[in-house]
Amino acid sequence: MWPVMDGIKVVSFDVEGTLVTPDFSYAIWFEAIPRHFADRKGTGFEEARRAVEEEYQKVGDQRLEWYDIQYWFDKLDLGIPDPVMEGYQSRVCYYPEVGEVLSSLSGIYKLTVASGSAREFLRYLLRDIEPYFARVFSSVSDYRRLKTPEFYRKMCAVLGVEPAQVVHVGDNWQFDCVAPGEIGIHAFYLDRKRQGDHQNSLASLTQLKAHLSG
Ligand SMILES: [Mg+2]
């Protein structure tokens, strides 16, 4: 049973796993950083990769540093992230339905981004689709927090809308569904692999479009 959605003004999208495949981020975290670390240390790639991954695990994805590329470049003494990320731009890959869905929804709703990725990443991840979005929110860069209910509350305040006028979609159950749902946003869980058994789950963004068009 799908919720009734009247008076929707804003459609908000998570980025990684929702609009963009994980390829670019994976390449940065598990190829580029270990490679530069190996060069700096004069060790082999595999050894560097193990050392770097160990450091990632010590921090874990519940802490802000996990998402902070500058933190890692400083910590591992790798210099400036931008030239490295620029070199990986070709690894940014959008899911096949993204262009069509954004272009058809953009005439009807205000489209926004609500991402847990840092702005340094979003610059590259959104490069080809940024014109579709009226606002881009990065919970880490803008508010120094993960995607909590408070983050979504601030987002609604900035947009000047009530949570009930917002639809959000994303692939993380906690950050994209539970958190926005808690303040009354219509949250959809994108389960591209169809592994879970969650209510309001979608297999693709095309299904979201179908719900929004009635
Ligand atoms: Mg995601």
Side-chain angles (χ1 to χ4, degrees), residues 4-10 109 161-167 186 212:
V4 178
M5 296 192 297
D6 282 334
I8 298 299
K9 295 208 161 116
V10 172
Y109 304 99
V161 292
E162 294 298 322
Q165 296 173 310
V166 178
V167 162
H186 300 277
L212 284 166

Side-chain angles (χ1 to χ4, degrees), residues 85-99:
M85 296 173 89
E86 190 68 50
Y88 281 80
Q89 177 73 46
S90 66
R91 304 286 276 273
V92 172
C93 177
Y94 301 100
Y95 289 102
E97 80 277 23
V98 164

